[in-house]
Amino acid sequence: MPAISAYAPGKIILFGEHAVVYGRPALAVPVMQVKARAAVLANPRGASGLIRIEAPDVQITSNLSDLPDDHPFQTVARMVCEELKIQSLPAMTIRLSSTIPTASGLGSGAAISVALIRALSAFLGHPMADEKVNALAYETERYYHGSPSGIDNTVITYAMPVYFVRDQPIERLTIARPFTVIIADTGIKSPTIEAVSDVRRCWQVDSDRYERLFDQIGQIARSARQILESGETDRLGRMMVQNHTLLCEIGVSSAALDTLVLAAMDAGAQGAKLCGGGRGGNMIALVDPENAEKVAQALNRAGACRTIITEVK
Ligand code: PMV
């Protein structure tokens, strides 16, 4: 029997990370140049329930049962069984691979979960609808984010631009005029759960100040939506810089991220900001398409270990 495989893209948050955990809106788009893949193969000679996991990108080659109970791969297998009312899984090998850098703000954890849920449910003869895939992937996000807003699993499951508000129906974000973004990686791994937990501690200590910062970020996300939907994108770059400044005040930027933001602006980007959980990981820069190579080179010189030029549409 051939392997059943499924894919899921990466993502970037254009506006609103962290504030989105506290109910403010955020805008996110999929990034199709990077993706996670899950492939499930039957193992007819294996004992029932023997699930072999091969995930070299995260240094896992083991039996599923040897992973911690709260590990996302265990969570997915458990939830898919519950959902499909299956007592025990047949023997199989699951191969997971991804070109999305881990712990870097591009949604690698959510993408692996989405690909795995899709491949496993299809392998069991019951491919799940996006709504269900999204709901299950959200549960695995607790492992990566602690208290996830749900934005990563949503934009990745539906692979479309979204205007996202926690616990509200999903809204598609219309991009009236495509634009070019460079994604640049500091190369510093930064687990989202740590940044999200630190922000929560600060918010508990000084909730008035943090609520004000979240309000300002939410306002930027709302205005950015209008701008993107009208196609009059002149102010977009400035709004990215404002969003970055607010993320610095929240305490989730870092010297490496600020260096890349400045390098992009010096090289002629219209705007730039960190993207995702922060502290390390990736930043994004809004550029004129004809200036993209020049800004990407400046980012590489300033220390980026990888750049991706992508058209948001
Ligand atoms: O997974 P990351 O690093 O792209 O961050 C997701 C965005 C946060 O707002 C920081 C967390 C969340 O759950 O929304």
Coordinates of all heavy atoms in Angstrom, one line a residue, residues 11 13 16-21 103-108 141 144-145 147-152 164 190-192 195-196 275-278, ligand 1:
K11 N 3.7 30.1 7.9 CA 2.9 31.3 8.0 C 3.7 32.5 8.5 O 4.7 32.3 9.2 CB 1.6 31.1 8.8 CG 2.0 30.9 10.3 CD 1.8 32.2 11.1 CE 2.8 32.6 12.1 NZ 3.3 32.0 13.2
I13 N 2.9 36.4 10.6 CA 1.9 37.3 11.1 C 2.3 38.7 10.7 O 3.4 39.1 10.9 CB 1.8 37.2 12.7 CG1 1.4 35.7 13.0 CG2 0.9 38.2 13.3 CD1 1.3 35.5 14.5
G16 N -0.1 42.1 14.8 CA -1.0 41.7 15.9 C -0.5 40.6 16.8 O -1.3 40.2 17.7
E17 N 0.7 40.0 16.6 CA 1.1 38.9 17.5 C 1.1 39.3 18.9 O 1.3 40.5 19.2 CB 2.4 38.3 17.1 CG 3.6 39.2 16.8 CD 3.6 39.7 15.4 OE1 4.3 39.1 14.5 OE2 3.0 40.7 15.2
H18 N 1.0 38.4 19.8 CA 0.9 38.6 21.3 C -0.4 39.3 21.7 O -1.1 38.7 22.5 CB 2.1 39.3 21.8 CG 3.3 38.5 21.9 ND1 3.5 37.4 22.7 CD2 4.5 38.4 21.1 CE1 4.6 36.8 22.5 NE2 5.2 37.4 21.5
A19 N -0.7 40.5 21.1 CA -2.0 41.1 21.5 C -3.2 40.2 21.1 O -4.2 40.2 21.8 CB -2.1 42.4 20.8
V20 N -3.0 39.3 20.1 CA -4.0 38.4 19.7 C -4.4 37.4 20.7 O -5.5 36.9 20.8 CB -3.6 37.7 18.3 CG1 -2.5 36.7 18.5 CG2 -4.8 37.1 17.7
V21 N -3.4 37.1 21.6 CA -3.7 36.1 22.7 C -4.7 36.8 23.7 O -5.4 36.1 24.4 CB -2.3 35.8 23.4 CG1 -2.6 34.9 24.7 CG2 -1.4 35.1 22.5
A103 N 10.8 26.7 16.0 CA 10.9 27.7 17.0 C 11.4 29.1 16.4 O 12.3 29.7 17.0 CB 11.8 27.3 18.1
S104 N 10.8 29.5 15.3 CA 11.3 30.6 14.6 C 10.1 31.6 14.1 O 10.4 32.4 13.3 CB 12.1 30.2 13.4 OG 13.1 29.4 13.8
G105 N 8.9 31.4 14.6 CA 7.8 32.3 14.3 C 7.1 32.0 13.0 O 6.3 32.8 12.5
L106 N 7.4 30.9 12.3 CA 6.8 30.6 11.0 C 5.8 29.5 11.1 O 5.3 29.0 10.1 CB 7.9 30.3 10.0 CG 8.9 31.4 9.7 CD1 9.8 31.0 8.5 CD2 8.2 32.7 9.4
G107 N 5.4 29.1 12.3 CA 4.3 28.1 12.5 C 4.7 26.7 12.3 O 3.8 25.9 11.9
S108 N 5.9 26.3 12.5 CA 6.4 24.9 12.2 C 5.6 23.9 13.0 O 5.2 22.9 12.5 CB 7.9 24.8 12.5 OG 8.1 24.9 13.9
E141 N -1.4 23.0 19.9 CA -0.7 24.3 20.0 C -0.5 24.6 21.5 O 0.4 25.4 21.8 CB -1.5 25.4 19.4 CG -1.5 25.4 17.9 CD -0.1 25.9 17.4 OE1 0.1 27.1 17.3 OE2 0.8 25.1 17.1
Y144 N 3.1 24.1 22.4 CA 4.0 25.1 21.8 C 3.8 26.5 22.4 O 4.8 27.2 22.5 CB 3.9 25.1 20.3 CG 4.2 23.8 19.6 CD1 3.2 23.1 18.9 CD2 5.5 23.3 19.6 CE1 3.4 22.0 18.3 CE2 5.8 22.1 18.9 CZ 4.7 21.4 18.2 OH 5.0 20.3 17.6
H145 N 2.6 26.8 22.7 CA 2.3 28.2 23.1 C 1.8 28.4 24.5 O 1.7 29.5 25.0 CB 1.2 28.8 22.2 CG 1.6 29.0 20.7 ND1 0.9 29.8 19.8 CD2 2.7 28.5 20.0 CE1 1.5 29.7 18.7 NE2 2.6 29.0 18.8
S147 N -0.9 29.1 26.1 CA -2.2 29.6 25.9 C -2.4 30.1 24.5 O -2.3 31.3 24.3 CB -2.5 30.6 27.0 OG -3.6 31.4 26.6
P148 N -2.5 29.3 23.5 CA -2.5 29.7 22.1 C -3.8 30.5 21.7 O -4.9 30.2 22.2 CB -2.5 28.4 21.3 CG -3.1 27.4 22.2 CD -2.8 27.8 23.6
S149 N -3.6 31.5 20.9 CA -4.7 32.3 20.4 C -5.5 31.4 19.3 O -6.7 31.6 19.2 CB -4.3 33.6 19.7 OG -3.5 33.3 18.6
G150 N -4.8 30.6 18.6 CA -5.4 29.8 17.6 C -5.1 30.3 16.2 O -5.5 29.8 15.2
I151 N -4.3 31.4 16.1 CA -4.0 32.0 14.8 C -3.2 31.1 13.9 O -3.4 31.0 12.7 CB -3.4 33.4 14.9 CG1 -3.4 34.2 13.6 CG2 -2.0 33.4 15.6 CD1 -3.1 35.6 13.7
D152 N -2.2 30.5 14.5 CA -1.3 29.7 13.6 C -2.0 28.5 13.0 O -1.9 28.3 11.8 CB -0.1 29.1 14.5 CG 1.0 30.2 14.8 OD1 0.7 31.3 14.5 OD2 2.1 29.8 15.2
F164 N -7.9 37.6 12.1 CA -8.2 36.6 13.2 C -8.5 37.3 14.5 O -7.7 38.1 15.0 CB -7.0 35.6 13.3 CG -7.2 34.6 14.4 CD1 -7.9 33.4 14.0 CD2 -6.8 34.8 15.7 CE1 -8.1 32.4 15.0 CE2 -7.1 33.8 16.6 CZ -7.7 32.6 16.3
S190 N 13.7 30.3 19.3 CA 13.1 30.9 20.4 C 11.7 30.3 20.6 O 10.7 30.7 19.9 CB 12.9 32.4 20.2 OG 12.2 33.1 21.1
P191 N 11.5 29.4 21.6 CA 10.2 28.7 21.7 C 9.1 29.7 22.1 O 9.3 30.5 23.0 CB 10.5 27.7 22.9 CG 12.0 27.5 22.9 CD 12.6 28.8 22.5
T192 N 8.1 29.7 21.3 CA 7.0 30.7 21.5 C 6.4 30.6 22.9 O 6.1 31.7 23.5 CB 5.8 30.3 20.5 OG1 6.4 30.3 19.2 CG2 4.7 31.4 20.6
A195 N 8.2 33.1 25.3 CA 7.8 34.6 25.1 C 6.4 34.8 25.6 O 6.1 35.8 26.2 CB 8.0 34.9 23.6
V196 N 5.5 33.9 25.2 CA 4.1 34.1 25.6 C 3.9 34.0 27.1 O 3.2 34.8 27.7 CB 3.2 33.0 24.9 CG1 1.8 33.0 25.5 CG2 3.1 33.2 23.4
C275 N 8.3 39.0 13.7 CA 7.1 38.2 13.3 C 7.0 36.9 14.1 O 7.9 36.2 14.2 CB 7.3 38.0 11.8 SG 6.8 36.5 11.1
G276 N 5.9 36.8 14.8 CA 5.7 35.6 15.6 C 6.0 35.9 17.1 O 5.9 37.0 17.5
G277 N 6.4 34.9 17.8 CA 6.7 35.0 19.2 C 7.8 36.0 19.6 O 7.8 36.6 20.6
G278 N 8.8 36.1 18.7 CA 9.8 37.1 18.9 C 11.0 36.5 19.7 O 11.1 35.3 19.9
Ligands
PMV1 O1 4.2 30.5 16.8 P1 4.7 31.9 16.6 O2 6.0 32.1 17.2 O3 4.5 32.3 15.2 O4 3.8 32.9 17.5 C1 2.4 32.9 17.4 C2 1.8 34.2 17.8 C3 1.6 34.5 19.2 O5 0.7 35.6 19.2 C4 2.9 35.0 19.9 C5 1.1 33.4 20.1 C6 -0.4 33.0 19.8 O6 -0.8 31.9 20.2 O7 -1.1 33.8 19.1

